[in-house]
Amino acid sequence: MINKVEIQKLTKKITDNFFATRPQKDVVYRPCLKNEAVSSKILGEIYVDLKKMYPEAVTGDYAFVTTRIIASRSETVTLRVTGKPEVYLNDEQIYLNEKNELQMHVETGDLLTFKCTAEEDCFGVGFAISTIFYPGMWACDYLLWVRATMPVPEYYGEDGVSISKLNRCDIAFPMGTTDDKNIDFAKIYPNGEYAFALTYALCDTVYNGEGEAFVNGQKYDGAVIKKGSSLIVRANRKDGFLVNTGDDGNFGLDFVESNRENAPKWLLLGGLDEDNLPKIQFKKPYKGQFWRLCDGSYLRPYLDTHFYGLWFYALMVGQYGILKAAPLMGEELKEYFISGMSIMADFFDYMRYDTSVFGAPSFLQRSIALADLDSIGTMGMNFCDLYALKPSDEVKHVIDSLYDAMCKNIPRFPDGTFHREATMWSDDTFMSMPFLSRLGKLTGDKKYFEECICQINGFFKRLFMENEKLISHIYFLEDEKANKVPWGRGNGWVFITLSEVLERIPDSFEEKKDIIDKFRTFAEGVRAVQDESGMWHQVLNMPSSYEETSCTGMFALGMLRGVKNGWLDESYMENVEKAIRGIEAKAVDADGNITGVCRGSQCSYDPSYYAQLGTVVNDDHGTGIILALLAEYYITIGK
């Protein structure tokens, strides 16, 4: 047995590193000046349609598009380009390959410029900055975080690109300044009867402007307005939408990040038919509207991090581990989980509005389409855990939305088993059933457990390799056969999922015994391929493939739960402890970094494809599972 002091020291080393590499951050607000010629795709390219900007352009005309790169760290990235521009990095020309892409090293503040020349059929450029593993997928939420921002100093930090004048170098966009003194609502809100302007007192002061004014929701009577108080001015179309604010410098918006020479002082909300004062909040749209600035810019929320509070299944595994480790390491971990998940719930609806305006949201990119189980299941699992800790209407709304998306958006075989467009992945057991089993526990409705039973039977029917007692990673729908490759993490997903379901499904379900039998048989196959080091291999039946960390944690965690709950005999504790020793020796360095975690996989019939997949340091596929394993082991041996 490994003693509790060792487990606690190892867990602390990992959690200290987790917080150092995934710092908790607050949402920040910035202006964003929209140009109709610039569009974005979710997780995809930014496209600048210069023909829309310059409809008069003819073949041979040119313009420059420039952006200032902001990144979470210095990194070698892939730049993929649409169109035929000349490309410059910090004024030095760089050259694309035949795929219209290149690898380049970026630092925060780098300038990326495209000289675009009009041709008969096109005039514009599209570009995406990606990790080298996923060309064409904008880096925004996982291994790297990159933003394309305005290169014009007054607009530093604001999303977007600058566009030159036609056949010249000087800037055509962005131009102009905010006039906070004379607000012309009609320019921004051509529809609706009422509009509102919001600001805050920066000191004890009075308001000398026009319009019907309200302080902290009460009609203003001319008295001194205390520092920090909200001031709303209401305008209506009947009396005219032009309001003079008196602009004496005593009001402003401290929470809006801006480098503009004249910092924004007022937020506007219009296009409304009701004259009721809006409830002041910055997390949800108001009937299809949100706050804007006097020059027409949009107020947008941002979360400047590539791990914390973002919508990606692997990051949810990290949060899962943090919550599991909280009883061992303290309330800080639980609060980290609650705050990160709460941000996602708070901005879930807003991001749909943001996408409708810009084409892609400022964060939570993968929360929009909900077209695959990767974007549903682990989020739903954690939102259920959040709801159990801190119930709220916002969290329940997200849970309901995710379940609804699972029911409507995910294709199924005739027997009801989930699949993808042309494949079934073993991964999708974990992307569905931990969520479903928690819904069953939360609601008491047996339909969620019945769905789990259906899924387990369907996945095992198509993926279980009887001779080796292991799981194929993929089933190909067109070929109607599995790939017969027991990828380590693919097996780990299934193994840990069975333990998740078994811990929650009531004993009253007759099918529970069959699930236990499947778990025991599977455990025999997994146990047989454990390496002497305690680790399991990237391809489980290929000892020449590397020892992989995430599947090792998953198998050990599943076996630990099996022993703890009586589904497996006590001899499996030897395998668990051997795995923990292997992880400590081979997968956790002196600083608490987690190594040896396979990066995200695609699929193949060829085992060598999986064997050659590289690893990522501090990938939450591994970190979250190892934390969960250590915490559950600590609690189990303490009983």
Side-chain angles (χ1 to χ4, degrees):
M1 181 180 292
I2 305 170
N3 70 59
K4 296 178 73 171
V5 173
E6 288 180 89
I7 294 295
Q8 194 163 33
K9 285 177 63 177
L10 182 58
T11 306
K12 186 177 187 308
K13 183 162 66 171
I14 296 169
T15 54
D16 285 350
N17 179 267
F18 187 100
F19 287 121
T21 55
R22 299 156 176 79
Q24 183 173 335
K25 293 190 176 182
D26 293 328
V27 170
V28 297
Y29 291 85
R30 301 185 182 102
C32 187
L33 186 60
K34 183 181 179 184
N35 184 324
E36 293 298 335
V38 182
S39 60
S40 299
K41 293 181 180 178
I42 295 172
L43 295 173
E45 72 175 9
I46 296 170
Y47 188 77
V48 184
D49 185 349
L50 291 170
K51 192 65 178 176
K52 183 178 285 188
M53 183 87 175
Y54 297 115
E56 73 277 16
V58 297
T59 300
D61 286 341
Y62 64 88
F64 294 92
V65 174
T66 304
T67 194
R68 182 172 178 260
I69 301 303
I70 304 295
S72 54
R73 63 176 183 273
S74 303
E75 187 65 72
T76 299
V77 300
T78 297
L79 171 68
R80 178 173 286 183
V81 177
T82 300
K84 302 174 183 178
E86 295 177 16
V87 186
Y88 299 85
L89 182 63
N90 298 326
D91 297 326
E92 180 178 342
Q93 189 168 4
I94 54 180
Y95 297 92
L96 305 171
N97 62 22
E98 65 279 359
K99 294 181 180 179
N100 245 26
E101 63 184 39
L102 61 80
Q103 288 188 6
M104 63 183 191
H105 191 80
V106 294
E107 305 272 354
T108 282
D110 281 348
L111 292 179
L112 187 61
T113 301
F114 305 93
K115 181 182 180 182
C116 305
T117 302
E119 299 182 359
E120 186 176 345
D121 57 345
C122 68
F123 186 25
V125 63
F127 65 99
I129 298 172
S130 314
T131 67
I132 59 175
F133 301 120
Y134 306 107
M137 181 179 290
W138 191 274
C140 64
D141 62 358
Y142 180 34
L143 301 176
L144 181 66
W145 168 86
V146 175
R147 287 177 54 225
T149 66
M150 297 281 197
V152 181
E154 185 176 352
Y155 293 86
Y156 275 0
E158 299 183 24
D159 275 11
V161 299
S162 70
I163 303 173
S164 76
K165 294 179 181 178
L166 193 62
N167 299 320
R168 292 169 59 181
C169 296
D170 50 324
I171 300 297
F173 173 85
M175 294 291 285
T177 57
T178 301
D179 180 7
D180 279 306
K181 185 172 183 178
N182 294 290
I183 300 175
D184 188 351
F185 290 99
K187 285 185 178 180
I188 302 173
Y189 300 110
N191 301 310
E193 294 299 315
Y194 293 91
F196 304 88
L198 167 68
T199 190
Y200 291 88
L202 302 178
C203 59
D204 291 354
T205 187
V206 295
Y207 174 62
N208 294 315
E210 300 172 350
E212 191 178 11
F214 299 82
V215 175
N216 295 330
Q218 302 299 313
K219 192 168 179 61
Y220 180 53
D221 59 5
V224 171
I225 302 171
K226 294 294 184 182
K227 179 181 178 180
S229 297
S230 66
L231 172 65
I232 291 181
V233 174
R234 178 167 60 192
N236 65 73
R237 194 171 297 280
K238 179 180 177 182
D239 293 337
F241 264 16
L242 184 65
V243 172
N244 184 296
T245 64
D247 190 16
D248 58 6
N250 293 333
F251 295 93
L253 305 166
D254 282 349
F255 71 98
V256 178
E257 287 191 0
S258 174
N259 285 295
R260 299 185 184 189
E261 183 178 353
N262 297 315
K265 296 179 180 178
W266 292 82
L267 294 176
L268 312 184
L269 186 66
L272 305 176
D273 292 327
E274 299 88 353
D275 65 350
N276 295 326
L277 295 186
K279 178 183 177 183
I280 299 174
Q281 55 83 26
F282 304 102
K283 295 178 180 178
K284 296 180 182 296
Y286 296 83
K287 296 183 179 179
Q289 306 288 335
F290 199 65
W291 300 103
R292 296 181 67 177
L293 280 71
C294 296
D295 68 343
S297 297
Y298 291 77
L299 182 72
R300 295 184 81 185
Y302 294 86
L303 188 60
D304 297 340
T305 171
H306 63 300
F307 277 105
Y308 171 79
L310 295 179
W311 197 287
F312 186 60
Y313 79 89
L315 306 185
M316 295 299 97
V317 178
Q319 290 276 23
Y320 168 89
I322 282 292
L323 183 61
K324 290 287 186 185
L328 173 57
M329 300 308 299
E331 288 294 304
E332 179 187 8
L333 276 68
K334 185 168 75 172
E335 290 306 313
Y336 181 96
F337 173 88
I338 290 172
S339 64
M341 295 305 302
S342 295
I343 285 172
M344 294 165 61
D346 288 345
F347 288 92
F348 181 78
D349 282 341
Y350 167 82
M351 289 304 164
R352 278 142 184 78
Y353 160 82
D354 201 67
T355 302
S356 72
V357 174
F358 295 99
S362 55
F363 66 101
L364 303 187
Q365 296 262 345
R366 300 171 198 261
S367 72
I368 305 303
L370 301 179
D372 52 58
L373 288 170
D374 276 357
S375 61
I376 295 172
T378 57
M379 297 78 181
M381 170 184 75
N382 283 354
F383 281 123
C384 286
D385 287 344
L386 175 63
Y387 190 82
L389 291 169
K390 192 176 180 181
S392 71
D393 291 341
E394 287 79 12
V395 176
K396 185 178 186 305
H397 166 62
V398 178
I399 291 171
D400 292 344
S401 298
L402 292 175
Y403 179 66
D404 185 63
M406 180 181 284
C407 293
K408 292 178 178 178
N409 298 347
I410 308 304
R412 297 174 183 250
F413 289 103
D415 64 5
T417 315
F418 295 128
H419 64 78
R420 303 190 183 193
E421 185 176 346
T423 51
M424 164 192 267
W425 291 44
S426 61
D427 311 42
D428 284 343
T429 56
F430 192 79
M431 307 308 148
S432 58
M433 285 180 266
F435 176 32
L436 290 166
S437 63
R438 280 165 172 76
L439 281 172
K441 196 77 171 177
L442 276 175
T443 65
D445 192 331
K446 67 179 184 179
K447 73 178 182 181
Y448 300 108
F449 296 119
E450 290 169 348
E451 181 74 272
C452 289
I453 293 164
C454 168
Q455 297 305 322
I456 289 169
N457 290 336
F459 275 92
F460 266 75
K461 180 173 74 174
R462 294 171 177 89
L463 297 179
F464 192 64
M465 302 160 64
E466 295 285 349
N467 291 339
E468 297 185 74
K469 300 177 183 177
L470 298 173
I471 295 284
S472 295
H473 181 218
I474 301 291
Y475 180 90
F476 293 94
L477 273 65
E478 184 176 352
D479 298 342
E480 295 186 346
K481 63 180 181 180
N483 69 348
K484 301 295 183 183
V485 179
W487 177 44
R489 187 155 70 231
N491 277 253
W493 288 131
V494 180
F495 198 64
I496 195 173
T497 293
L498 293 178
S499 73
E500 288 278 328
V501 173
L502 285 171
E503 285 194 323
R504 290 171 178 82
I505 190 169
D507 292 339
S508 58
F509 278 77
E510 294 180 4
E511 297 89 345
K512 185 170 184 177
K513 181 181 182 303
D514 179 63
I515 299 173
I516 293 173
D517 289 342
K518 284 182 168 64
F519 182 75
R520 286 172 176 161
T521 302
F522 190 11
E524 291 172 10
V526 169
R527 181 189 226 177
V529 291
Q530 186 177 20
D531 193 89
E532 279 303 309
S533 68
M535 305 288 284
W536 276 268
H537 289 273
Q538 164 74 348
V539 181
L540 294 178
N541 58 3
M542 185 188 288
S544 60
S545 63
Y546 63 84
E547 295 170 329
E548 203 278 329
T549 303
S550 65
C551 73
T552 298
M554 290 173 174
F555 295 139
L557 179 56
M559 288 177 179
L560 175 63
R561 289 172 175 172
V563 174
K564 180 175 66 176
N565 291 286
W567 314 320
L568 301 176
D569 65 60
E570 288 285 341
S571 66
Y572 277 90
M573 282 301 287
E574 295 178 18
N575 301 89
V576 173
E577 290 167 358
K578 191 175 178 182
I580 293 174
R581 289 295 191 198
I583 289 169
E584 184 176 25
K586 290 177 169 286
V588 185
D589 71 14
D591 296 319
N593 295 299
I594 304 296
T595 61
V597 178
C598 175
R599 66 176 175 85
S601 170
Q602 294 300 312
C603 56
S604 174
Y605 279 113
D606 186 358
S608 65
Y609 162 78
Y610 295 89
Q612 57 80 36
L613 286 173
T615 62
V616 180
V617 176
N618 289 331
D619 187 298
D620 281 12
H621 287 97
T623 306
I625 294 297
I626 291 172
L627 287 175
L629 166 64
L630 295 175
E632 290 204 29
Y633 182 83
Y634 182 93
I635 293 168
T636 300
I637 64 174
K639 289 184 177 179

